[in-house]
Amino acid sequence: MRRLLPLVLAGLLVQGCARTEAVSNDVDGVRLLTADRIHTSDPTRPVAEAMVWDGEGRILAVGSAADLQREWPRAEVRDMGGTTIVPGLIDAHGHLLNFGFSLMWADLAGVDSKAEVIARLQAYAQDLPEDSWVLGRGWDQNLWPEREFPTAADLDEAFPDRPVWLVRVDGHAGWGNSEAMRRAQAHEDAQSFAGDWNPQGSRIVRDGDQATGVFVGGGARRLVERVIPEQDEALREQALERALAAAVAVGLTGVHDMGVSRDDLALFRRFADEGRLPLRIAAFAAGDGDALADLCANGLYTHDGGRLRMHGIKLFIDGALGSRGAALLEEYSDEAGNHGLLAYAPEVYAGIVRRARECGVQVTTHAIGDRGNRTVLDTYADVLGDAVDSDHRWRVEHAQIMAVEDIPRFAEMGVIASMQPTHATSDMPWAGDRVGEERLEGAYAWRRFLEAGGRLALGSDFPVESADPRLGLYAAVTRQDRDGQPPGGWLPDQKLSAGEALHGFTAGSAWATRSEGETGRLAPGLRADFVVLAEDPLQVPGQTLADLTIRSTWVDGEAVYSAD
C-alpha cells in the first residue's frame, strides 16, 4: 500500500490540475474565432480552423473549432464564414509621416510627362493660400519620353512667383522652381548653388556651373527644404491620422518606421498614450540625431501599451538607383564616370555604427548599390568583431544591387536583408540601363538570399511605393507589373513562392525587430494580430494576389478596420 500511495496521490494531483484547467477555461471575456482556414506562419501548426484569445488580446489556443469550443464553453464565438485568416501583415520598411503628408500634397506618382506634372500642380494649387509653397511627391523622369532630369525652367512659366518643391518618387532627390531656389539662396548661411561645390554624399545638378533645379541626396535637398515653413503640430497630427487609417485599411498591423526624430517619436507616444495607434510601430531613429542621443542617454524605448518601440537606428550609406545616387563598384552604364554617392565618408559612418553598438541599439542601413552594400557589410564585420556571430540582428535596407559574392555574407554574418518586392517591378524598365545586364545577376535577388541561408523581411518603402502589402505579395511571386508584364516575370529565377512572400511580411518582419515572441505568427502567447481575407493567398493564382479582398484587420483581438 505504501508503494501505491505516491501513485494515488500523483493521480489525484493530475486530476486536480485538469479540473483547474477546465475551470480556468470556463471564463468570460474570451473570444473564439472560426474560419475556413487560418494560416498561422507557425511551423509547429501551420494551418488551423479556430483561434481563442483573452480580453488582453493574447492568443490562448489555436486548433480545430470543435476542440476549442469544447475547451472554452463560455467563449464569445465569431464565425468568419468562408474566409481565410493570416497573421497581421508587417511592413518592414515604411515612413508614416511622409506617407501622411504625401496624401496631403500633390500626387505625382505615375505621371508620364512634365506637362501632366504641371496640370496636377495647377489643380492642386487652386485650393492653397496664394502665398504658400506648392509641394508634391512622386515624379519619376524615367516615365517621361525624354527620361532626363527636369529643370526649374519647366516649372517657372506656370509658377513664376510661388515656390514649388517636388520630391522624387524615391525620396532621394528634389526638384524646385526658380523662386524656391531664390528663397534657399537667401538663407543666412546659404552656400552658392553656382560653381562646383556639393554637400557630402549629394549632388546639385548643374548646367555648366549653374544649378538646374534638381538636388540629389539628403544634403543637397536640405539646402532648399530648410526654408520651407515647418509643418505645425496640428498638420503633423493630421498626416499621422491619415497614414494610420490608410495602413490598416490594406491589412497592415505593424510598420517598421525608418527615420524617426525625437519630435516624431513624441507624436507617436502621444497617440499611443491616447489609445490612437491602431497598429504597432517599430521606430528606427533618424541617423546620428536627437533620437539616437536619447536612446544612448536613456536606453531603448518601449511603450507600456505594446504598440510602440524604438530600439534601432536607421542610417544611409548611399542614394537611389533611379536618380543615380546609389554607390556602385563600377560606373553607371548610362552615365560614364558616375559611381554614385556615399552618404558618409566610410570612417565617419563606421564611427556612428560603433557608437550605436556601444549604446545597445540595433543598426540598419539603407544600401542600394553594390559598393554601398559592400561598405555596410565590411563596416558591420569590423565593428561587431568577434560578436559577428551573436544574435545582433543588424539589417540592410533594400540590398538592391548586390555583387553576387556578397550575398552569402548576409547569412554568414547574421545580417537581415530588408527588401521591398515592388521596387523590383517599378525599377525593371530601366534598371538594366543603369547597371548593365551583368550586374543584374545580383539585382533584387530574393531567391539567392534565401538559398544562401539568409533571412528576409519584406516591406514597401511607402510612400516611395504603395503601402498595400498585397502588391508586395504579387510582385514577389510574379515579378511582373500590374499588366502582367513581362511574360513570365523579370529575372524570374528570383521569384518567391506565396508562402515565402507571406512569411516575409509576417514572421520574417517580426524577427527583424526581435518581436517574434509577440507578433508575426498566430500561436499561443502571441498577440491576436491578424487579417481576414475573402480568398486564400496560398491557394489562389499568383496573378490574383494584388486583388485579395480584405474583410477586416485586427490588432490585439480588436477590429481596427472593417470593409463592412
Side-chain angles (χ1 to χ4, degrees):
M1 185 68 184
R2 288 196 192 98
R3 294 177 182 175
L4 291 175
L5 185 59
L7 296 176
V8 171
L9 292 174
L12 291 173
L13 180 60
V14 169
Q15 291 178 26
C17 290
R19 282 197 297 270
T20 300
E21 182 180 358
V23 171
S24 68
N25 287 358
D26 190 20
V27 297
D28 294 320
V30 173
R31 284 189 275 180
L32 189 156
L33 177 146
T34 63
D36 271 9
R37 189 176 288 105
I38 299 175
H39 291 297
T40 68
S41 281
D42 181 3
T44 65
R45 183 158 197 164
V47 181
E49 61 181 11
M51 178 171 58
V52 175
W53 65 88
D54 64 18
E56 301 299 318
R58 290 276 183 187
I59 298 173
L60 299 171
V62 176
S64 76
D67 288 347
L68 295 189
Q69 286 172 347
R70 184 169 52 252
E71 293 175 19
W72 304 89
R74 291 172 59 186
E76 175 189 337
V77 178
R78 180 154 186 170
D79 181 9
M80 305 305 287
T83 63
T84 296
I85 310 294
V86 298
L89 299 167
I90 305 168
D91 192 311
H93 187 118
H95 307 273
L96 281 165
L97 279 171
N98 283 346
F99 180 34
F101 282 120
S102 74
L103 297 174
M104 300 162 67
W105 293 352
D107 179 11
L108 307 178
V111 170
D112 59 9
S113 69
K114 287 184 283 188
E116 181 60 23
V117 169
I118 299 298
R120 291 201 188 186
L121 292 177
Q122 288 174 325
Y124 170 73
Q126 289 178 355
D127 298 325
L128 298 177
E130 291 185 1
D131 59 346
S132 66
W133 283 65
V134 178
L135 302 174
R137 182 177 182 124
W139 62 274
D140 182 358
Q141 82 283 0
N142 294 306
L143 303 178
W144 305 341
E146 60 274 20
R147 299 179 71 172
E148 295 177 353
F149 273 146
T151 68
D154 295 319
L155 299 170
D156 288 346
E157 182 176 354
F159 299 96
D161 304 313
R162 297 181 65 175
V164 178
W165 183 247
L166 311 174
V167 178
R168 193 180 181 277
V169 61
D170 57 18
H172 289 271
W175 168 27
N177 68 345
S178 294
E179 178 61 17
M181 290 197 292
R182 186 193 67 77
R183 296 193 185 194
Q185 288 284 259
H187 192 273
E188 59 185 16
D189 61 349
Q191 294 277 356
S192 174
F193 292 170
D196 58 3
W197 174 84
N198 289 292
Q200 170 64 39
S202 296
R203 178 166 63 102
I204 301 171
V205 179
R206 296 182 172 92
D207 182 3
D209 65 353
Q210 296 301 310
T212 64
V214 171
F215 298 76
V216 179
R221 285 187 3 256
R222 280 190 291 273
L223 297 174
V224 179
E225 290 174 353
R226 64 183 176 179
V227 302
I228 299 174
E230 291 187 9
Q231 312 289 355
D232 62 27
E233 195 65 8
L235 203 58
R236 284 164 48 81
E237 180 174 337
Q238 182 183 355
L240 182 56
E241 285 178 340
R242 291 195 182 194
L244 293 170
V248 295
V250 292
L252 291 177
T253 63
V255 171
H256 302 175
D257 198 317
M258 291 293 160
V260 175
S261 70
R262 175 188 291 161
D263 288 344
D264 296 342
L265 184 62
L267 178 60
F268 295 168
R269 289 179 66 168
R270 181 157 62 84
F271 270 55
D273 290 342
E274 297 170 358
R276 298 166 65 191
L277 281 186
L279 50 67
R280 305 188 195 283
I281 301 175
F284 284 73
D288 187 19
D290 50 16
L292 175 61
D294 291 345
L295 292 177
C296 289
N298 306 319
L300 306 183
Y301 171 76
T302 303
H303 190 273
D304 291 341
R307 294 194 183 182
L308 176 63
R309 59 163 56 186
M310 181 182 278
H311 292 186
I313 178 177
K314 190 281 186 85
L315 298 168
F316 286 89
I317 195 59
D318 65 356
L321 193 66
S323 47
R324 298 186 183 87
L328 301 181
L329 294 169
E330 303 295 334
E331 65 185 13
Y332 277 82
S333 297
D334 58 359
E335 189 169 304
N338 182 7
H339 288 74
L341 302 164
L342 287 177
Y344 298 99
E347 63 274 12
V348 174
Y349 168 70
I352 302 171
V353 173
R354 187 168 288 108
R355 184 162 67 257
R357 185 197 175 198
E358 291 168 353
C359 296
V361 175
Q362 181 189 16
V363 178
T364 191
T365 307
H366 162 116
I368 288 183
D370 49 12
R371 178 164 61 114
N373 278 280
R374 182 169 294 177
T375 299
V376 171
L377 292 173
D378 289 348
T379 302
Y380 284 4
D382 181 59
V383 172
L384 287 167
D386 293 340
V388 73
D389 293 328
S390 68
D391 188 23
H392 52 78
R393 302 201 197 180
W394 287 10
R395 304 167 43 159
V396 172
E397 304 301 313
H398 311 309
Q400 284 183 9
I401 307 298
M402 297 293 307
V404 174
E405 61 269 26
D406 283 335
I407 291 177
R409 298 178 67 189
F410 279 73
E412 293 164 3
M413 296 171 56
V415 174
I416 298 163
S418 172
M419 305 179 80
Q420 300 74 43
T422 49
H423 278 335
T425 51
S426 291
D427 297 357
M428 63 185 180
W430 46 263
D433 295 338
R434 291 287 189 275
V435 300
E437 295 302 314
E438 183 176 341
R439 279 181 283 184
L440 290 181
E441 187 178 358
Y444 314 85
W446 318 316
R447 170 65 50 202
R448 285 192 178 84
F449 277 97
L450 289 183
E451 290 175 346
R455 288 184 178 269
L456 294 183
L458 299 181
S460 67
D461 199 10
F462 66 75
V464 175
E465 303 282 354
S466 168
D468 192 335
R470 293 172 293 184
L471 299 180
L473 295 172
Y474 170 81
V477 171
T478 68
R479 293 183 73 100
Q480 293 175 323
D481 64 22
R482 290 303 309 279
D483 295 325
Q485 297 298 319
W490 181 62
L491 306 177
D493 61 329
Q494 295 308 302
K495 292 178 182 177
L496 299 180
S497 70
E500 289 165 339
L502 183 62
H503 185 276
F505 275 103
T506 55
S509 287
W511 174 271
T513 53
R514 297 186 183 276
S515 301
E516 70 274 14
E518 294 285 312
T519 63
R521 297 172 294 130
L522 298 175
L526 275 65
R527 303 277 187 175
D529 295 359
F530 56 91
V531 183
V532 181
L533 300 170
E535 304 86 12
D536 185 339
L538 303 191
Q539 299 293 326
V540 301
Q543 287 73 18
T544 68
L545 286 170
D547 300 311
L548 293 171
T549 306
I550 297 173
R551 293 283 177 81
S552 53
T553 305
W554 298 65
V555 174
D556 285 327
E558 299 288 344
V560 295
Y561 166 79
S562 177
D564 299 332

